[in-house]
Amino acid sequence: MRGGGLLLAAALLALALAGCKRQDMYTQNRVQTWDRSRFFADGLGMRAPVPGTVARESPPPTAPPTVIDAALLARGHQRFDIFCAPCHGRAGDGHGMIVERGFPGPTSFAASPLREAPAARFYAAMTKGYGEMAPFADRIDPPDRWAIVAYIRALQRSQNTVVASLPPADRARLEALK
Ligand code: HEC
């Protein structure tokens, strides 16, 4: 009986302490919406998001870029190597490092059906995720998603082009690599 009473008291104490903790967090010093702040030079407590912040709510899909140039491809290349290559491989063949260690392997971008797929399918996979693949909408903003799609197109072409169909200058450069 006595043991039971002690246990009850301990339980109540634990509850009370847990309650205190919550109150401490709840009543801590913080800046409320519209409050002044002496910390920032402009005196405002509310701050604008830092450049490059991606909205948590997915923004409506944007139109694909009208100009596809070397700068866009370079950006897409860099973003692809960071976000996609770990699984899809740097060549988009589906043999990324994470797959080599056991994650389910995606199919190659350069083979059917993805070779013929419209650009919107790649954009949608990044925005919403696809099967085992998580969405990237909170990490890659819409212009960068399109830059990645453009770069995937370049990867697909690089693996589906007949050497004889290249312009002579490009063909010479390629053959010099052998
Ligand atoms: C953690 C590993 C992983 C990463 C990182 C990843 N993917 Fe995937 N992706 C997969 C897997 C696995 C599948 C196949 C999913 C399935 O079939 O269930 C897939 C499928 C796809 C597909 C096929 C969708 C379709 O409609 O058939 C596209 C396109 C794609 N990924 C694009 C990307 C792009 C672009 C990135 C980089 C922004 C990326 N993935 C990053 C694992 C990944």
Side-chain angles (χ1 to χ4, degrees):
M1 198 58 198
R2 214 172 142 226
L6 267 180
L7 212 68
L8 186 69
L12 283 175
L13 191 69
L15 264 181
L17 284 177
C20 279
K21 275 254 154 46
R22 187 193 169 268
Q23 284 304 317
D24 283 352
M25 293 288 282
Y26 192 69
T27 55
Q28 66 186 311
N29 285 335
R30 61 168 183 252
V31 178
Q32 304 279 16
T33 317
W34 299 111
D35 269 1
R36 285 170 196 274
S37 164
R38 275 180 294 148
F39 186 77
F40 297 106
D42 61 7
L44 286 175
M46 293 192 298
R47 312 309 304 165
V50 294
T53 304
V54 180
R56 282 178 57 143
E57 314 81 45
S58 211
T62 59
T66 44
V67 179
I68 295 177
D69 55 11
L72 185 82
L73 288 177
R75 175 73 181 170
H77 184 178
Q78 189 223 26
R79 296 288 105 180
F80 180 91
D81 280 358
I82 294 170
F83 291 110
C84 320
C87 292
H88 288 272
R90 294 190 72 188
D93 56 7
H95 298 299
M97 182 50 72
I98 296 178
V99 173
E100 299 299 321
R101 302 289 168 102
F103 195 78
T107 55
S108 170
F109 290 144
S112 284
L114 290 174
R115 186 175 56 189
E116 298 83 20
R121 183 159 164 184
F122 297 89
Y123 187 92
M126 278 182 266
T127 308
K128 300 184 209 143
Y130 182 85
E132 301 280 352
M133 177 184 140
F136 284 83
D138 59 348
R139 276 159 287 171
I140 306 176
D141 64 14
D144 277 349
R145 278 177 238 165
W146 286 120
I148 291 175
V149 175
Y151 181 66
I152 290 176
R153 285 288 189 237
L155 285 179
Q156 292 174 320
R157 277 216 166 179
S158 74
Q159 290 159 60
N160 286 293
T161 301
V162 180
V163 176
S165 72
L166 291 175
D170 289 344
R171 187 171 168 182
R173 274 175 59 201
L174 192 68
E175 281 171 352
L177 293 175
K178 278 187 193 161

